[in-house]
Amino acid sequence: MNILVLGSGGREHALCWKIAQSPLLGQLYCAPGNGGIAQIAHCVNFDMDNLAALVQFCQEQQIALVVIGPEALLAAGLADILTDAGISVFGPSAKAAQLESSKGFTKSICAEYNIPTAAYGWFDKAADAHAYLQTHPAPIVVKADGLAAGKGVILAETDEEARAAVDKIFSGGFGAAGASVVIEEFMQGEEASFFALCDGTHALPLATAQDHKRVGDGDIGLNTGGMGAYSPAPIMSDELIAETLTQIINPTLQAMSDKGIPYKGVLYAGLMLTQTGIKLVEYNVRFGDPECQVLMARLQSDIVPALMAVAKGDIRDVQLEWAQEVALTVVMAADGYPENVKKGSEIKGLDKAAIEGVTIFHAGTKIENGKYIANGGRVLNITSMGESVAVAQKKAYQSIAAIDWPEGFCRRDIGWRAIARETQTPK
């Protein structure tokens, strides 16, 4: 079968890499793709405002499945358009994608179905948000309601910072995403990422992961789209996985079904493990980036039947096998990320960096005159496998040492929580 993947990031490279291993695959296309994806798929360019051309391409190339990577395309209703044209698609409808495109929508689902999450307020006027802050002191979390590329969340440590965050969002600091604001209680604990394939009724848990959102070592600095991840997440025990399914995932699927907007796709729950139990931080309606990279590295099964089963609406017969080894990925970003990104620098040494046990997934790259050029904020994902987090981490940084890119940087402590656990575990 012919498959089209939509997107240009490290997530899409990892998906293409895994799909390309399937014996069921005929031709693999990616739009628009990147410099790394171009090595394994036919990269094509579409004007995403001209969706009729995309549908026509799918029909002409006999595309059996479209895999939508980015959340913005899902929120815009691309899955609906493809489905209406009779094309199988992996990804939820626009209404179901509200689980990510509106934090307030998800909070209302949680309130109605008793899904554990942080206490909150949802406001479309700055004055009302400020009034709420008067009775809810910092530390507190202020979020743009809509999609903000993972950057619309502000942890305010003082009341002054909270007020400034509200003003920033309502004054257009995150564009249309800030038409309304969600203010949440600050939850203390450790975060984990939980993924499940969903067919509208059933949920199939995938491997767990933990990512690193802050730009700097020691989890300091600005929030980013993600600076690294590892899988599995040691903190997610079998008991916590079962609790997540029964208290969070399954009630959400029931809620969406009750509302006539069944959820079909991958559901990514950001969790907080607090002293009072596991709570939902937020939902994403697509694979995480960079979590997808470590999931695909560990997945031993053919991914294509699973993606097709979701698209067809029945995953009951799907079984997936996972490598016992740990996967860890380190994001290399361009100087200035996540704010003033400097593009256009050449990346050298990728051939030397491709050591045994390491796969390099491209994100913001393009090829010019046979050279790899940085073309985004997050540029490379150095993904390694090892029998422990410490071993996988060592391989990843060994690979990074071979990359000649003075204009790039990375965190040097990816996996530090898990490594601390490993050193504390009796042999």
Side-chain angles (χ1 to χ4, degrees):
M1 69 177 72
N2 296 340
I3 296 176
L4 170 64
V5 176
L6 297 178
S8 62
R11 167 182 53 220
E12 287 76 32
H13 191 180
L15 288 168
C16 285
W17 174 79
K18 193 63 190 177
I19 290 169
Q21 299 171 21
S22 174
L24 301 175
L25 179 67
Q27 291 291 335
L28 177 60
Y29 299 90
C30 187
N34 60 42
I37 294 174
Q39 307 305 312
I40 56 174
H42 299 281
C43 290
V44 291
N45 245 322
F46 293 110
D47 176 3
M48 295 311 293
D49 292 328
N50 184 6
L51 297 180
L54 173 59
V55 171
Q56 182 179 354
F57 175 86
C58 292
Q59 293 169 337
E60 290 176 349
Q61 302 302 323
Q62 298 180 314
I63 300 297
L65 176 67
V66 176
V67 180
I68 302 176
E71 62 274 20
L73 297 179
L74 294 165
L78 182 54
D80 305 77
I81 293 168
L82 292 167
T83 300
D84 290 345
I87 300 165
S88 294
V89 58
F90 179 85
S93 67
K95 288 184 177 179
Q98 289 180 95
L99 285 173
E100 179 169 2
S101 64
S102 173
K103 296 176 179 64
F105 173 84
T106 295
K107 285 294 189 178
S108 65
I109 291 283
C110 291
E112 185 177 354
Y113 283 79
N114 297 315
I115 297 169
T117 189
Y120 75 102
W122 185 14
F123 310 98
D124 57 12
K125 293 183 176 61
D128 294 337
H130 282 298
Y132 183 85
L133 289 175
Q134 289 179 356
T135 56
H136 294 79
I140 201 161
V141 183
V142 183
K143 299 181 177 181
D145 179 65
L147 298 177
K151 304 178 185 70
V153 178
I154 300 171
L155 170 57
E157 297 181 355
T158 67
D159 293 343
E160 183 179 358
E161 289 177 356
R163 291 191 294 270
V166 167
D167 290 339
K168 177 179 180 178
I169 294 172
F170 276 117
S171 64
F174 298 102
S180 61
V181 165
V182 170
I183 302 176
E184 295 180 350
E185 71 167 312
F186 172 69
M187 294 190 292
Q188 288 189 315
E190 188 169 341
E191 291 189 61
S193 301
F194 184 89
F195 298 86
L197 295 182
C198 305
D199 62 8
T201 304
H202 310 97
L204 174 66
L206 304 182
T208 59
Q210 283 184 289
D211 73 340
H212 300 68
K213 288 294 186 189
R214 299 281 186 160
V215 71
D217 287 8
D219 293 325
I220 63 172
L222 295 172
N223 265 332
T224 72
M227 294 301 293
Y230 53 92
S231 173
I235 198 169
M236 289 297 292
S237 64
D238 291 342
E239 291 76 16
L240 284 177
I241 290 173
E243 184 179 339
T244 301
L245 282 170
T246 57
Q247 295 192 20
I248 296 175
I249 303 296
N250 290 338
T252 300
L253 293 183
Q254 185 64 55
M256 300 299 280
S257 178
D258 291 347
K259 295 178 182 302
I261 45 175
Y263 187 88
K264 294 186 352 181
V266 61
L267 189 56
Y268 161 17
L271 306 173
M272 184 70 76
L273 281 63
T274 74
Q275 289 186 340
T276 57
I278 197 163
K279 294 186 179 182
L280 177 70
V281 177
E282 63 183 13
Y283 275 130
N284 295 305
V285 298
R286 35 69 189 184
F287 282 106
D289 188 344
E291 294 97 332
C292 184
Q293 289 83 310
V294 292
L295 294 183
M296 293 304 104
R298 289 188 62 220
L299 180 60
Q300 294 182 315
S301 304
D302 186 347
I303 194 175
V304 171
L307 299 176
M308 283 298 298
V310 171
K312 298 299 183 185
D314 190 353
I315 61 172
R316 287 175 294 179
D317 293 331
V318 175
Q319 294 182 342
L320 298 175
E321 298 294 330
W322 301 89
Q324 293 300 308
E325 284 185 298
V326 169
L328 180 142
T329 192
V330 179
V331 170
M332 294 194 73
D335 284 346
Y337 181 78
E339 294 187 309
N340 301 310
V341 173
K342 299 175 183 177
K343 301 180 182 180
S345 55
E346 182 182 354
I347 305 166
K348 302 177 183 178
L350 292 179
D351 53 341
K352 296 179 181 178
I355 63 177
E356 184 178 355
V358 171
T359 303
I360 300 175
F361 295 120
H362 291 232
T365 68
K366 62 180 179 179
I367 299 176
E368 287 184 355
N369 300 319
K371 300 176 181 178
Y372 287 108
I373 304 299
N375 191 43
R378 294 185 296 167
V379 176
L380 297 170
N381 300 267
I382 314 304
T383 307
S384 59
M385 298 285 287
E387 59 265 29
S388 67
V389 180
V391 170
Q393 185 200 61
K394 182 178 180 180
K395 285 184 184 178
Y397 287 115
Q398 181 182 349
S399 174
I400 287 170
I403 297 174
D404 180 8
W405 184 33
E407 297 83 2
F409 75 96
C410 66
R411 281 183 55 165
R412 293 285 169 179
D413 64 346
I414 300 302
W416 65 272
R417 284 192 181 91
I419 290 173
R421 284 193 175 89
E422 288 177 350
T423 58
Q424 294 168 5
T425 301
K427 301 296 183 183

